[in-house]
Amino acid sequence: MSTKSFRQRLLYYSLGAYLIFALFFCLVWQQVPWLTQFDLSVNAWFTNLRTTWLNPSVIAITNFGNPSNSALLNAVVLIILLSFRQQQLALFSLVNVALVGGLGNHLVKQLVMRPRPTAATHLVYAGGYSFPSGHAAGSMAFFGALIVITYYLVADFKKRRILNSLSALLILLIGLSRIYVGVHNTSDVLAGWTWGFAGLCLTWWLFLKFNLLPNKNAAD
């Protein structure tokens, strides 16, 4: 696939994800009854899975996705990338975590001001508003950026697949953990993933358009 074709596909992915996010936004803004019922049903399914042996593991996963931990992990990634003179990829990661998973998600929360669900006991403390899930968006932005970084720096397909599978699993588990611990609706998490994915693809498209990324597997 040519660079131009790949770049065009990224733009389509981003626009498609933003359209899906806009749909979630409108449904939540209008407080559509069927979405509320969907959230109540799926939320209840997850919270009914709670057991004394599973709770600590899920709480650990959800705490791992806290903004402070994401910032710390991103700082470590930035230091490693800069030490190997990968300034372009360091900037790519910083933009995704700070603007997509951080500032952008926060601004949407303040605009929508959706209360957090109250049907089940919260297993962890969560302040602020519910839509979209900051943990879901933040994990998509950070671990999605790691997938992109791996694409450029890891030549071995098997190693790349293992690393990317781990990143994808963490994105999934961190998002679902927010429903399990009772602090987010299912639609919050889906919207958070969509927001993060849309921003990730848009950032990747912009960096490719303006030649701000290294050649693939430049570390070799």
Side-chain angles (χ1 to χ4, degrees):
M1 183 187 303
S2 67
T3 301
K4 183 178 179 180
S5 176
F6 180 67
R7 194 171 67 227
Q8 187 176 44
R9 181 173 295 186
L10 284 174
L11 184 59
Y12 289 153
Y13 287 158
S14 179
L15 292 176
Y18 274 127
L19 285 174
I20 295 172
F21 177 80
L23 176 60
F24 276 118
F25 183 96
C26 292
L27 292 172
V28 171
W29 186 271
Q30 296 295 325
Q31 299 181 17
V32 177
W34 69 258
L35 181 66
T36 302
Q37 187 56 50
F38 167 79
D39 280 331
L40 289 172
S41 298
V42 182
N43 293 355
W45 187 86
F46 275 98
T47 55
N48 285 337
L49 296 175
R50 292 177 179 178
T51 60
T52 53
W53 64 267
L54 184 58
N55 288 354
S57 298
V58 179
I59 290 173
I61 291 170
T62 209
N63 287 337
F64 179 70
N66 285 347
S68 57
N69 290 333
S70 295
L72 178 60
L73 287 172
N74 192 51
V76 172
V77 170
L78 294 180
I79 291 172
I80 293 173
L81 288 172
L82 291 174
S83 67
F84 284 95
R85 298 181 181 180
Q86 294 294 334
Q87 295 91 337
Q88 294 164 306
L89 290 174
L91 180 61
F92 178 84
S93 179
L94 180 62
V95 168
N96 273 281
V97 173
L99 298 184
V100 177
L103 179 62
N105 186 79
H106 176 73
L107 292 176
V108 176
K109 279 180 179 285
Q110 298 305 310
L111 178 62
V112 179
M113 294 190 296
R114 188 187 200 185
R116 293 189 182 273
T118 57
T121 303
H122 293 182
L123 299 184
V124 297
Y125 170 77
Y129 299 113
S130 183
F131 180 92
S133 166
H135 280 63
S139 62
M140 179 65 77
F142 174 69
F143 291 107
L146 283 186
I147 290 174
V148 175
I149 291 168
T150 301
Y151 172 80
Y152 283 97
L153 297 184
V154 180
D156 186 89
F157 175 75
K158 291 183 178 180
K159 292 179 181 178
R160 192 165 66 241
R161 183 170 59 181
I162 292 172
L163 292 171
N164 289 348
S165 297
L166 178 59
S167 291
L169 181 62
L170 287 170
I171 292 171
L172 178 66
L173 291 179
I174 289 172
L176 295 181
S177 73
R178 303 304 283 172
I179 308 171
Y180 181 98
V181 299
V183 297
H184 275 295
N185 294 297
T186 304
S187 57
D188 298 331
V189 172
L190 293 175
W193 281 334
T194 307
W195 174 265
F197 181 76
L200 176 70
C201 291
L202 180 61
T203 305
W204 198 354
W205 177 78
L206 287 169
F207 271 60
L208 284 174
K209 181 176 177 62
F210 294 102
N211 296 315
L212 296 176
L213 287 174
N215 294 325
K216 186 174 181 295
N217 301 325
D220 298 335

